[in-house]
Amino acid sequence: MKKTPENIKHEIEKLVKDLNYHCYRYYVLDSPVISDEEYDRSYRRLKELEERYGYILPDSPTQRVGAPPLEKFEKVKHTEPMLSLDNAFSYDEVKEFEHRIKRFLKSEEEISYTVEPKYDGLAIELTYRKGVLYRASTRGDGYEGEDVTLNIKTIKAVPLKIEGPGIPEEIDIRGEIYMDIDEFEALNRERGGKGEPAFANPRNAAAGAVRQLDSSVTAARKLNLACYGMGAAKGAEFKSQWEFVEWLKTVRFPVPSIIKFVTGAGEIISVIKEIEEKRKDFPFEADGAVIKVNEFDLQQKLGVKTREPRWAIAYKFPAHQGVAGIKEIIASVGRTGAITPVALLEPVRIGGVTVSRSTLHNWDEIQRKDIRVGDRVVVERAGDVIPHVIAVIKDERTGNERPFPPPVKCPVCGASVEKEEGAVAFRCIGLNCTAQVQERIKHYASRSAMDIEGLGEKNVELLYRKGLVRHFVDIYRLRKEDLLELPRFAEKSAQNLIDAIGRSRKTTLARFLYSLGILHVGEYAAKLLAKNFRDIEELYRIKPGRIIEIKQMGEKIADSVSRFFNDPENLNTLKTLQHTGLEISNPDYEGAKPERRPFAGLTFVITGTMPRSRKEIKALIEGMGGHVSGSVSGNTDYLVLGESPGSKFKKAQSFGVKTISYEELLKMVEERGSVASRQ
Ligand code: IVH
């Protein structure tokens, strides 16, 4: 293999080191020292050098994304079981916990503890071998979880490599993967825009993201990490939780935002109060505080009772829940025709807000929870999230409760409904469904779309009712005189709306695409399209294959985008819209990219021990357009041969399959890769 020149190696190593440092400043410390543009410039330079020379360090930031989707997750046994925590629901229970510990240890002296927020996410185990992230696994049943390494690598706060003195030979670091509330809300807005059901809370959103077979979906979900514990370790000599967390900080792991060292029950409770007080300002959801005995030898003595350690407890904050009766259930029709059941509640105050509606998400959920009209239900409100029903209080049923069956017709326009295969939502298929049309106009004018100030819910409904706006094209035909005849408008408000419509004519392709309300195209997908297509005309009559070529675009989006841009009526609308004087610029366009599928049509089989993991090699081959198969056959083009190969080698010989080493594979990648990029 051609050797990478020393000076290039140095440049790559320096870029990796610098970029990782800036990533840490940005994602862990929340205090960047360079601009995003500077970061992007260095990142692009690194990517270019890596592609040209094939010299890729395991902790290179480019290794965080780009793996092709998996078929399933492998199972992983935890060396030390991942336990759960006993709960305390009152300060008295915390005091009891503290007394129990002293009794158990027969200690007269005060015991020291750490107290930190309890992150509401999902537990993860990160295994580092010789400082390099080797594997990330979910908790599973505590003994066996799933290998989610590729997904976890996309999380920028997760160190790919740890450096410094005293790095243990092997160490399992545990923490919580979570989603910030802001991100969660943005994600739900985006899903709403695509007609997809919202996640009930940030924990579900984070868990869904971690369990994606396609790591590019995880990458797009912006997850975060807080590390709080240690599993099995070889060559680690930490004496206490405090010492361990201090070490975590020095090797750049994100740790809980508050960790306090205290002695005795009184101090524990004052820190719990402090966390509870500060909780509303946390960017993440915390559902309690975790109290741990600090000294590891005392933890050892205290041991474990069935599935929970005796040395720790979770104090749970009172939940934002209330109980209310369901007066009625209605079916509401969204922009894409998705029909969502909504419970109308007897008003109830939860966490200082009056709640009178709650989403029931879909009929599968209604059935699973057996929710009926007339039921008394527990409703939860988390942050600014739409309230949802947690459970039915079945003991309070009188027998008069009525089930709410799934719709057979659209409740608004009476058209037929359908349920896509595998989907949970029913959808109205009526092309002219008033509910859909109004929702589409509202979406078109909304802030993240065309941003027409003053064209909100109420005005859209009014203009629709009066027959002035039945389509977004009509927005541009509105005249001040028409508005002045309506009850909601006076001279100034009418002029303001006309001005706002005028201002909104100047827009970007990403915004415009999002505004069109194409099924599955939210803000993120719209931006991706804008990056890849110079202007809207390039999308006219597009084939799905052209869209699937774009990384991160799946079949579903490709299908719906191509269906949209092949529909003659839609094309007509687009042309009419352009004639209304829209000025669509595209600052996101990244230029035409050469196709990089030099291994297309080639099948590889891997056997024997390799210098890199199977998954990484598979990703490398598939990234070049090749296919990796698990067994040798007459269709195999190359057998990639590692040390101590198994029977596949013999079989390959019998088929006359060409064998190559890992180094030869890299050479092929380098040669063909650079040919492709020069095309
Ligand atoms: S310590 C022996 N610390 O809560 C278990 N857990 O209900 C040690 N969690 O599975 C866990 N924040 O996923 C610990 N600061 C924190 C935590 C935390 C969230 C989760 C964790 C655990 C669950 C137990």
Side-chain angles (χ1 to χ4, degrees), residues 81-87 116-124 139 174-176 226-229 241 256 287-292 307-309 311-312 314 316:
M82 290 179 81
L83 303 168
S84 54
L85 288 171
D86 200 2
N87 290 326
E116 64 209 39
K118 182 171 189 296
Y119 283 68
D120 196 11
L122 74 152
I124 197 87
R139 178 171 181 274
R174 285 155 182 198
E176 200 83 351
C227 292
Y228 48 63
Q241 174 73 10
D287 57 341
V290 181
I291 302 113
K292 299 170 193 170
R307 311 211 50 183
E308 293 137 5
W311 46 265
K316 296 296 271 299

Side-chain angles (χ1 to χ4, degrees), residues 337 339 410 413 415-418 427-433 436:
I339 308 178
C410 170
C413 72
S416 316
V417 296
E418 63 174 25
R427 219 173 267 285
C428 157
I429 60 162
L431 274 181
N432 299 314
C433 172
Q436 285 184 55

Side-chain angles (χ1 to χ4, degrees), residues 306-321:
T306 49
R307 311 211 50 183
E308 293 137 5
R310 260 188 219 98
W311 46 265
I313 199 160
Y315 169 82
K316 296 296 271 299
F317 298 138
H320 287 249
Q321 290 180 349

